[in-house]
Amino acid sequence: MEERKEMELEQETELQPEQETPAEETAEEAGASPEETPSGEQPEETSGGEGEKKGFFGKKKEKKDKKDEQIAELTDKLKRQLAEFENFRNRTEKEKTQMYTVGARDVIEKILPVLDNFERGLKSIPEEEQGGPVASGMEMIYKQLVTVLTDLGVTPIEAVGQEFDPNLHNAVMHAEDEELGENIVAEEFQKGYKYKDAVLRHSMVKVAN
């Protein structure tokens, strides 16, 4: 009995290596060893990650370039609008100044005949009445009117004794006078005025020689 048991044990031990052999063959048929499989998969995952990173950074760069273009475009538009507004403001100020000048000239031209009449009235007052209340009142009003016109930029044109200037004087008479030089204004019939640098009304004069 003991011999049979020993023989059975020996047979079991001989059969165990034969049963492990198919498992090893199955592993070899399946392909590489477990250690080789992860190492083979790592390059694919790494290459895929780098591609994704490159694509991600590439998109960021494109977005940044588009933003820069939009900023430059908006900045250019803003500069153009500011320049247009500055030109519009300067043009408007110029037009306002011209309109004011035209309006002031029109009003002053209508006041000048009143000033002329005051001067004629003062000259026509007899000497014995020049210190009277009427003459004094007329003179005060005349001086006030002259002051207002002066503040507005109106100045009289000098004529008598000056050389005749067609830009300032309007010659209506000619006379021979040995005491005066050639082309000299001998007498003024109507006083001329300038508004700032422009002639408002020419002086009406008589020119000698």
Side-chain angles (χ1 to χ4, degrees):
M1 293 290 291
E2 291 179 356
E3 291 179 356
R4 286 181 182 178
K5 290 180 178 179
E6 290 178 357
M7 290 177 65
E8 288 177 357
L9 290 171
E10 288 178 359
Q11 288 177 359
E12 289 178 357
T13 52
E14 288 177 358
L15 288 172
Q16 286 177 355
E18 292 177 1
Q19 290 176 356
E20 292 176 356
T21 303
E24 292 176 0
E25 289 177 358
T26 304
E28 289 176 359
E29 289 175 0
S33 63
E35 294 178 356
E36 292 178 355
T37 303
S39 64
E41 293 175 357
Q42 284 177 358
E44 293 179 359
E45 292 178 358
T46 305
S47 62
E50 288 178 356
E52 290 177 358
K53 287 181 181 179
K54 286 180 181 178
F56 181 74
F57 285 116
K59 289 179 181 178
K60 274 190 174 180
K61 190 174 181 182
E62 289 178 0
K63 288 182 179 178
K64 188 176 179 181
D65 292 339
K66 288 181 180 179
K67 287 182 178 179
D68 291 340
E69 290 177 359
Q70 290 178 353
I71 291 170
E73 184 178 355
L74 293 173
T75 304
D76 183 63
K77 287 183 178 178
L78 179 61
K79 289 180 178 179
R80 289 176 182 273
Q81 289 179 353
L82 289 174
E84 290 177 359
F85 177 74
E86 187 66 22
N87 293 333
F88 171 75
R89 188 177 68 176
N90 293 335
R91 187 169 59 253
T92 304
E93 289 295 329
K94 188 176 180 181
E95 290 176 356
K96 285 181 180 179
T97 303
Q98 291 176 349
M99 290 173 65
Y100 175 80
T101 302
V102 172
R105 284 176 61 94
D106 188 38
V107 173
I108 293 168
E109 285 177 355
K110 292 179 179 178
I111 293 175
L112 290 181
V114 179
L115 189 65
D116 296 337
N117 290 330
F118 266 101
E119 290 177 352
R120 295 190 188 101
L122 289 171
K123 289 179 181 179
S124 64
I125 296 174
E127 293 182 2
E128 61 272 12
E129 295 180 6
Q130 286 183 0
V134 176
S136 298
M138 288 182 62
E139 190 173 357
M140 289 177 63
I141 296 171
Y142 171 75
K143 287 181 179 179
Q144 185 179 7
L145 186 58
V146 170
T147 303
V148 171
L149 293 174
T150 303
D151 293 339
L152 291 173
V154 180
T155 54
I157 297 173
E158 296 182 2
V160 178
Q162 301 294 319
E163 185 177 359
F164 175 77
D165 185 354
N167 296 319
L168 302 175
H169 309 131
N170 180 20
V172 294
M173 287 185 67
H174 181 267
E176 297 292 337
D177 193 342
E178 296 179 355
E179 294 180 359
L180 297 175
E182 186 177 356
N183 209 29
I184 300 297
V185 176
E187 187 178 354
E188 182 181 54
F189 301 111
Q190 187 180 54
K191 188 177 291 185
Y193 291 93
K194 292 174 65 177
Y195 174 63
K196 295 182 179 179
D197 295 331
V199 176
L200 190 62
R201 187 177 74 180
H202 291 76
S203 299
M204 192 178 296
V205 299
K206 179 172 67 173
V207 181
N209 306 320

